[in-house]
Amino acid sequence: MNQSAYKRKEDCPLTFALTLIGSKWRLPIIWALWKNKTLRYNELKRHVEGITNMVLSQSLKEMENQGLVVRRQYMEIPPRVEYSLTKAGEELVPSLESLAKWGKGMQATVKSDV
Amino acid sequence: MNQSAYKRKEDCPLTFALTLIGSKWRLPIIWALWKNKTLRYNELKRHVEGITNMVLSQSLKEMENQGLVVRRQYMEIPPRVEYSLTKAGEELVPSLESLAKWGKGMQATVKSDV
DNA sequence: CAGAATCCTCAACGATACTG
DNA sequence: CAGTATCGTTGAGGATTCTG
């Protein structure tokens, strides 16, 4: 995290992890795929309320490259594309739950005085 | 995370946790305080390489309000102000380590194909 | 159905200078 | 020493429209 540990910030595994899940729509996407296992593009979009095509398709493309998400395309008319989490993506969930548990504890104390 | 779980995104404990640690300088600050227990303002600034006064003081103020950081001011000349993590701040670390462990596993596989 | 293209906005962050 | 004040920049994300 600092110069004694890593030459560059991007080398820190924690910072790196946050780049994978930290942007605005990553968690909602991961969460929807975790709960539903497999979703088509427009199903996923319905689960992630408020996201635009622009951002969803871009996020999915990145997450596929990063090994978080699997994309399966079926050559049919009309087109069918299904998304699901990779094994690595699923292995992320326990860490998220740990963080969520901490966050839940914080909500009570922080909400009132911020 | 979605409408079935929370009416608003901010109600999700995980999203909430990320607002506390997700911005650019939060982790470096938390990490420096975790390793050194207590630091004066300028010491902290030296540990968090590249941060400006503007961002550091602003971040510390927010983190204090959020219950992550304790600020102790001593009425001396020259002024002395010491920062350290709160108990809640320290309790965050195991979750971060879990996430870092996952991130470390990802780095190897992702780095090459992104 | 599953996106891509284009343009735009805004908040986080950066740089520099100043102060009790 | 420990911050503020001011201004400038930038990039993630939003809105809208279009397409194989």
Side-chain angles (χ1 to χ4, degrees):
Chain A
M1 189 59 66
N2 59 16
Q3 67 281 18
S4 61
Y6 303 101
K7 291 192 192 65
R8 302 168 307 166
K9 273 218 186 63
E10 315 84 83
D11 294 333
C12 170
L14 184 48
T15 299
F16 181 74
L18 279 187
T19 67
L20 298 184
I21 64 164
S23 59
K24 182 169 180 185
W25 294 100
R26 292 296 181 100
L27 286 180
I29 293 170
I30 291 170
W31 188 247
L33 290 176
W34 169 249
K35 291 211 311 182
N36 298 278
K37 300 305 170 193
T38 294
L39 289 172
R40 299 180 60 165
Y41 180 87
N42 277 326
E43 286 176 331
L44 180 52
K45 192 182 170 195
R46 257 170 262 127
H47 279 272
V48 183
E49 233 183 338
I51 197 170
T52 63
N53 280 331
M54 179 67 204
V55 173
L56 178 56
S57 63
Q58 185 61 31
S59 300
L60 286 171
K61 204 179 296 177
E62 292 167 5
M63 292 168 81
E64 193 191 358
N65 287 334
Q66 291 160 348
L68 290 172
V69 157
V70 172
R71 182 193 133 110
R72 281 189 214 82
Q73 179 168 4
Y74 300 88
M75 288 309 184
E76 306 173 353
I77 307 280
R80 180 158 62 106
V81 181
E82 290 180 348
Y83 292 93
S84 52
L85 292 182
T86 61
K87 189 158 178 297
E90 289 177 352
E91 285 166 357
L92 170 63
V93 175
S95 298
L96 295 184
E97 282 172 342
S98 162
L99 199 55
K101 192 176 167 190
W102 177 84
K104 191 161 186 166
M106 293 300 287
Q107 279 180 314
T109 56
V110 177
K111 276 276 172 74
S112 47
D113 58 329
V114 171
Chain B
M1 189 61 64
N2 58 15
Q3 67 282 17
S4 63
Y6 303 101
K7 291 190 192 67
R8 302 167 306 166
K9 276 217 185 65
E10 316 84 80
D11 294 333
C12 170
L14 184 49
T15 299
F16 181 74
L18 279 187
T19 67
L20 298 185
I21 64 165
S23 58
K24 181 169 179 185
W25 295 101
R26 292 295 182 102
L27 286 181
I29 293 171
I30 291 170
W31 188 248
L33 289 177
W34 168 249
K35 291 211 310 181
N36 298 278
K37 299 307 170 192
T38 295
L39 289 172
R40 298 180 61 165
Y41 180 87
N42 277 325
E43 286 176 333
L44 180 53
K45 193 182 169 195
R46 257 170 261 126
H47 280 271
V48 183
E49 233 183 340
I51 197 169
T52 63
N53 281 329
M54 180 67 203
V55 173
L56 178 55
S57 64
Q58 185 61 31
S59 300
L60 286 170
K61 205 180 296 179
E62 291 167 6
M63 293 167 81
E64 192 190 358
N65 287 335
Q66 291 161 348
L68 289 172
V69 157
V70 173
R71 183 194 132 112
R72 283 190 213 79
Q73 180 168 2
Y74 300 88
M75 287 310 183
E76 305 173 354
I77 306 285
R80 179 158 63 107
V81 181
E82 290 181 349
Y83 292 93
S84 53
L85 291 182
T86 61
K87 189 158 178 297
E90 289 177 351
E91 284 166 359
L92 170 63
V93 174
S95 298
L96 295 184
E97 282 172 342
S98 162
L99 198 55
K101 191 176 168 189
W102 177 84
K104 190 160 187 167
M106 293 300 287
Q107 279 181 314
T109 56
V110 176
K111 275 278 173 71
S112 48
D113 58 327
V114 170

